[in-house]
Every structure is written in structure tokens, then in C-alpha cells.
Amino acid sequence: MPEILPYIPENITVHLGAPDANAANVRVPFVDYVKNVASSEIYPTWDESALTANILAIISFALNRVYTEFYRSRGYDFDITSSTAIDQKFINGRNYFDSVSRITDRIFSDYLRRIGFVEPLAAKFCNGTTVTCEGLSQWGSQSLAQQGLNSVQILRYYYGDNIEIVNNAPVRGYTPSYPGTPLRVGSRGPSVVQAQVMLNRIGQNYPSIPRVATDGIFGQQTEAAVRRFQEIFNLTVDSIIGEATWYQLVRLYVGVTNLAELESQGQTFYAINWQAPNNLQSGSRGQKVSQLQYMLNVMAEYVPSIPSVAVDGIFGPRTQEAVIAFQRFAGLPEDGLVGPQTWNALYNRAITLVKGPEIPFSQYTGETLSLGDTDFS
């Protein structure tokens, strides 16, 4: 699958109680938050593989809360709570165990995700004795460690074989997803793409929201979809995506895709290099073919003459058929070969560049693209 470039927040804001409780917020370094939770949740004398598995689950769950803006999209000014009923145990001001600190310092920039997905796994867990749940059993993880299982084997025992570990994710300050200024007719760029993706996916559950092209251009189609969204969810009906409309989109999108749950539809194809290949043709394999197939599927959603294809990284007859159909649609030579001309034409129609559609292909820097749902089933 394509390389993904996630990030770890420098700090995380914790609400010291249930979400609606009259309690203080504390802002702590993310690494200290993980040490605090791990020292509050598990025993320092457990086997190292059990400790590592539990700490990775703690990291992933917290990152999922940040990534999905689970609380901020609901109007709260924090990222996670200290309530063990819904989040993780955090005791403000407590000391950390040496074994927990040592492991956390080594792996705090690692986390779990499903293979091929972007979002950190909502790695839920419970103690496994007085409370059981769908996810990791803390005491069960220690039992598995004593049987000789390593941390990855323990995690796959509870979360399935289709998980992987992202290593050494970059660390940066928290950046809210809201673009900072309202989006309206005439707006362009990646934030518009993200809004269009969210509208289209939410529209699968609310069919009266019209589908829009994910072209990064806020035109009449997008305006109509925003207006209908605002009408449905009792927002100010002005066809402008201000902060209230944006975070309602985020909240609904996270809900319909289950991104904050163990089993979610998942998000793919972020932060990859979309530079045009020299040539792709029948028999080609690999990441570039997967990207090609993804873009063809984006087009297939809106151009009936272009067939959808499996995103399997194999340039077979079906992919060639779709390429030729796109070339016919775009007025290009119908040779079934994907060189820079066909790739760039497809890219320019299917995906908006990170820094706006006016940036030439040669200037692409490899920064994150927010394309959202890619479920073509």
C-alpha cells in the first residue's frame, strides 16, 4: 500500500472527568499523557511484550480521538477525557513507572492502524476480568506474554491479523481541520476537496444531499449540497461552510464511516507521491497502479462510461479497459498506456493538489492529501 505520513501531536488536552462534567482541562505533552495512562491502567511488573502491546493500544486510541476530532467536532475544547467509561484512565500529577516510561520513550511515535487505512486504530481495551469488551484484554495480554507471544502477536490476537504498526511518525503541534476561513462559492483547494468528500459520504446515508464532483472547486453543485446539508441538520442555511457547518460535517462523517470504532470503513491514499510515472501498461504492478486504479474509480463515480476497477495494484484487462474509457472521455489517444499525459489528465480531474490546483505537478512536495473515503464496493 502507499506510504502514509501521519503525525503525533506535541500536546493533548485532557478533560478531567466525563465530557459534560464541570471539571478542569489539562494540556500535557503527548508522551507524558501516554506514560500517565499506562501507569494508571497496567502493572509495571508485566512482561515487556504485554506492556508494549498495551502502550501501543493506549497510543492508538488517543490518536484516534485526536484524528477524528471526536470531542472538538461536538463543540468541546479538549481532545479526550479521563473517564474510563468512554476513554482512558488519566490521573493528573501522578508518577510514572520506570518500565512504562522506558518503553513509552521508545515507541510513543508508533501506533496501530488497519493495513491500507490511514486513521489510527480505535484500539479499545478493558481489564478482561471485571470488565470485558471488544478489544484487548489487559490481563489476557499478560497471559499471552507469559505463553511466549511477542507484542505484535498479542495485538493481532485481539485486533485481527490486518493491523500494522506505523513507526516513527513525525511530531507536530495540533492543527484543527477547520481551514480557518469560511468556504464559499469560488473557494478552491484541499479543504474544499475534504468538504466534498464528507458531503458525498454523508449523502449515502442522507440521499437528498446531492452528490458533487471532488474537484476542489466550490461551485454550484457544492453550494447546493451544503445548503441541503444545513437544512437537514438545522444549521444556518447560507450555503457557506463556516466553523459550525464544518464540524457538523466532521462529526457526521466520522459517525457514518465508524472511524472512531474498531471496525470502520477506513480512509486510504493520504500523503503519497502522486508524481506521474514514466509508463504504466498491461502487466504493470505496484503502488502506482493502485493510485491509478483509485483515480479511475473516482472518475467512474461520475462518468458512467468509465468502469470501476479493483484497487489491487495489478494492471489487468479491467484496468486497461478503464484507462481507454478515460482516454476517450478526455480526448486522448486511446492506447491503454498511462504515461505522463494520461496520468496528469486523470490526476487533474480526480484529485486536488495539496497547495491548490494552480500548483504545477513538478512542484508537488509530497505533503498530506485529504481525500477521505475510498470504499468502491
Side-chain angles (χ1 to χ4, degrees):
M1 294 301 298
E3 180 183 4
I4 295 170
L5 302 176
Y7 77 94
I8 306 295
E10 291 177 346
N11 301 290
I12 187 169
T13 300
V14 187
H15 184 66
L16 301 178
D20 292 325
N22 184 19
N25 292 345
V26 293
R27 184 172 172 82
V28 297
F30 184 76
V31 65
D32 289 344
Y33 168 81
V34 174
K35 291 177 181 180
N36 188 306
V37 172
S39 296
S40 303
E41 290 274 8
I42 54 182
Y43 288 82
T45 55
W46 283 359
D47 289 13
E48 181 151 335
S49 59
L51 292 174
T52 301
N54 278 270
I55 291 170
L56 280 168
I58 289 166
I59 292 169
S60 299
F61 184 87
L63 289 180
N64 183 276
R65 284 291 196 245
V66 174
Y67 178 84
T68 61
E69 296 183 292
F70 188 84
Y71 289 108
R72 293 185 183 274
S73 67
R74 290 162 170 77
Y76 296 108
D77 59 351
F78 50 82
D79 302 307
I80 199 166
T81 76
S82 63
S83 170
T84 56
I86 49 179
D87 290 319
Q88 305 182 134
K89 187 174 184 179
F90 177 91
I91 302 173
N92 192 34
R94 70 154 299 149
N95 295 326
Y96 315 138
F97 298 127
D98 289 341
S99 57
V100 165
S101 292
R102 175 175 49 81
I103 295 172
T104 302
D105 284 335
R106 176 168 54 86
I107 67 170
F108 82 93
S109 59
D110 301 346
Y111 68 83
L112 307 173
R113 69 179 181 212
R114 299 251 178 245
I115 293 173
F117 288 173
V118 174
E119 73 277 7
L121 181 71
K124 298 181 179 181
F125 55 84
C126 53
N127 64 25
T129 54
T130 59
V131 178
T132 59
C133 61
E134 181 184 7
L136 181 143
S137 162
Q138 293 169 324
W139 278 102
S141 69
Q142 170 61 2
S143 176
L144 292 175
Q146 290 176 328
Q147 295 173 39
L149 274 65
N150 62 36
S151 59
V152 174
Q153 291 170 325
I154 292 171
L155 291 165
R156 287 181 174 162
Y157 178 87
Y158 289 109
Y159 299 123
D161 291 334
N162 64 333
I163 62 167
E164 62 184 357
I165 300 174
V166 176
N167 297 117
N168 299 318
V171 179
R172 72 181 192 209
Y174 168 74
T175 303
S177 66
Y178 177 61
T181 56
L183 302 176
R184 63 187 75 217
V185 171
S187 297
R188 291 172 173 251
S191 293
V192 178
V193 172
Q194 188 173 354
Q196 291 168 331
V197 167
M198 291 190 289
L199 285 165
N200 281 337
R201 179 58 190 86
I202 294 167
Q204 294 179 27
N205 293 68
Y206 298 87
S208 65
I209 298 175
R211 298 294 295 274
V212 300
T214 53
D215 56 6
I217 301 171
F218 198 129
Q220 292 182 348
Q221 274 187 332
T222 302
E223 182 183 32
V226 171
R227 176 172 290 273
R228 183 61 187 134
F229 176 83
Q230 291 172 329
E231 290 171 347
I232 292 172
F233 296 103
N234 298 315
L235 298 163
T236 300
V237 182
D238 57 9
S239 302
I240 296 172
I241 303 179
E243 190 167 3
T245 296
W246 178 271
Y247 280 113
Q248 183 75 335
L249 281 168
V250 170
R251 186 178 71 82
L252 266 293
Y253 179 76
V254 168
V256 298
T257 54
N258 295 320
L259 293 184
E261 303 299 327
L262 271 174
E263 297 297 334
S264 71
Q265 292 183 10
Q267 295 178 301
T268 59
F269 288 93
Y270 282 60
I272 57 181
N273 184 357
W274 294 88
Q275 185 70 34
N278 291 328
N279 206 39
L280 296 176
Q281 58 189 332
S282 181
S284 296
R285 291 172 175 257
Q287 174 181 305
K288 286 296 182 184
V289 177
S290 294
Q291 294 172 240
L292 168 68
Q293 292 165 329
Y294 169 78
M295 293 190 292
L296 288 169
N297 279 335
V298 171
M299 293 299 298
E301 286 196 83
Y302 305 103
V303 182
S305 62
I306 300 175
S308 61
V309 298
V311 183
D312 57 9
I314 303 172
F315 197 129
R318 181 76 171 179
T319 299
Q320 186 175 47
E321 177 187 354
V323 168
I324 293 173
F326 170 76
Q327 290 172 329
R328 184 179 303 119
F329 168 79
L332 300 170
E334 298 174 29
D335 56 12
L337 303 177
V338 181
Q341 184 182 27
T342 295
W343 180 279
N344 290 349
L346 178 58
Y347 182 94
N348 289 336
R349 285 168 172 82
I351 301 175
T352 298
L353 291 172
V354 170
K355 294 188 177 179
E358 73 281 3
I359 302 295
F361 229 107
S362 60
Q363 295 183 12
Y364 178 61
T365 62
E367 297 177 58
T368 300
L369 298 173
S370 298
L371 301 179
D373 179 58
T374 59
D375 182 5
F376 302 108
S377 57

